[in-house]
Amino acid sequence: MVTVKGSVITVSSLTGYFEAPWLMKRGSTYYLVYAANNAGANSPCTPTSYHACIAYGTASSPLGPWAFRGVILDIVSSTTSHPGIYQMNNNWFLTYHTRDAVGGTHFRRSIALDKLEWDDSTSPPSIRKVVQTKRAAPAGQPSRNIAPRATPSASGTTPIQYWIAAINDGRVETNPLPPDYWSSYAAERSPQTSTLTYTWPSAVQLNGVAMAFFADQPAGSNIGVPPPASWRVEYLNSGGAWTAVSPSGGYPTTVTDSPTEVRFTTISTTSLRTILTASGNGQYGGIGVKEWFAYAPTAV
């Protein structure tokens, strides 16, 4: 395109439109496929403000008006994903990017291709939800860390740029983006205390924990995200009461991607929680957790 022809048309009817439009025509219908982000409680696909799914709209003209038709690809391993659609003989494919390749990051991406199918019983024909396929993963090694088997939750409202699911995803990023860790940071409204909880579907045995913290401020700061002032761990006992574990030492607040394990007397529980106290006085810094490890006595 060298010069603009006609007037610029603003499209405001496509839910969560963010970036990366792909415009195509099939039959008499135009399809606009795009990266969508409208993070929040009512979002169709994006848990944080850094994620994007792939959504689409249809129109009878390339200039619209556009009608939102839904989400065709959920979030992938990279924060965003940009679409492309092509036809080969009688088959259609969606191309998009992920971080699934060895050594991949949010910005060192690889290309994925999956089959795209149409539902011609609707008017206009709709795009069915695309199923992400991946090569078979190598068999997992036995591990004492059984945190990935739990469901994580946080007290209060997690600010929309952070992700509670990051604390037990098995990844500790050296240079994380906000959805790679959980944080309580809310500027001058950051809370003094926060509670993170793991819940397992059945009782598990545990005898240790470790915490990989994120920080962008020094210890003792009341701005940004410093290391926490302190933290402790409790478990839900058989009577349904929260009870402190019996650690063999203190709870370290050192910021490291290889945190020291806090050992304690073996417990049996369906739920574990950590109470974190923020740094500051009157105004508090946020707390950032990259990964919270929960260790069983033996590898499973």
Side-chain angles (χ1 to χ4, degrees):
M1 183 175 69
V2 178
T3 57
V4 176
K5 298 292 185 181
S7 302
V8 173
I9 296 175
T10 300
V11 178
S12 59
S13 56
L14 294 177
T15 301
Y17 177 85
F18 178 52
E19 62 181 2
W22 179 272
L23 179 63
M24 56 168 282
K25 185 180 184 183
R26 180 178 183 261
S28 60
T29 303
Y30 288 89
Y31 294 82
L32 184 58
V33 185
Y34 60 93
N37 180 303
N38 62 327
N42 298 318
S43 172
C45 69
T46 45
T48 81
S49 56
Y50 276 71
H51 285 107
C53 63
I54 303 300
Y56 80 106
T58 61
S60 58
S61 161
L63 299 180
W66 293 95
F68 177 72
R69 297 298 181 186
V71 173
I72 63 169
L73 186 75
D74 292 327
I75 63 170
V76 298
S77 54
S78 54
T79 48
T80 65
S81 190
H82 298 167
I85 293 177
Y86 72 96
Q87 181 181 16
M88 181 180 292
N89 299 322
N90 293 323
N91 294 313
W92 290 80
F93 296 90
L94 174 72
T95 65
Y96 56 97
H97 70 249
T98 72
R99 58 172 292 176
D100 290 341
V102 175
T105 69
H106 292 304
F107 299 107
R108 190 172 188 269
R109 301 161 176 169
S110 53
I111 299 300
L113 300 90
D114 277 308
K115 193 169 184 179
L116 181 146
E117 297 180 334
W118 300 90
D119 183 354
D120 289 315
S121 68
T122 64
S123 182
S126 56
I127 303 175
R128 292 194 170 104
K129 195 77 168 283
V130 173
V131 177
Q132 297 181 44
T133 59
K134 299 179 181 180
R135 65 168 59 93
Q141 297 298 312
S143 174
R144 287 182 57 227
N145 179 31
I146 59 172
R149 303 182 182 190
T151 299
S153 59
S155 59
T157 301
T158 298
I160 205 163
Q161 66 269 42
Y162 307 112
W163 200 18
I164 184 59
I167 69 170
N168 67 335
D169 64 359
R171 294 206 313 257
V172 181
E173 302 285 350
T174 301
N175 298 299
L177 292 178
D180 294 323
Y181 58 97
W182 169 89
S183 181
S184 64
Y185 175 73
E188 68 278 1
R189 299 182 307 279
S190 298
Q192 181 180 9
T193 61
S194 298
T195 301
L196 302 179
T197 303
Y198 279 156
T199 303
W200 287 269
S202 59
V204 296
Q205 286 196 320
L206 299 166
N207 72 340
V209 293
M211 194 80 73
F213 293 109
F214 169 86
D216 59 15
Q217 298 294 323
S221 178
N222 67 350
I223 61 172
V225 183
S230 65
W231 60 289
R232 67 184 192 274
V233 172
E234 298 177 344
Y235 71 100
L236 195 65
N237 67 24
S238 58
W242 288 104
T243 305
V245 299
S246 300
S248 58
Y251 292 96
T253 58
T254 304
V255 177
T256 172
D257 289 346
S258 301
T260 301
E261 180 179 352
V262 177
R263 288 270 191 159
F264 49 80
T265 303
T266 300
I267 60 168
S268 177
T269 187
T270 57
S271 194
L272 195 70
R273 74 180 185 181
T274 178
I275 298 93
L276 302 114
T277 301
S279 174
N281 185 9
Q283 177 176 307
Y284 299 94
I287 299 170
V289 176
K290 294 182 181 181
E291 197 78 6
W292 177 23
F293 303 88
Y295 295 116
T298 58
V300 292

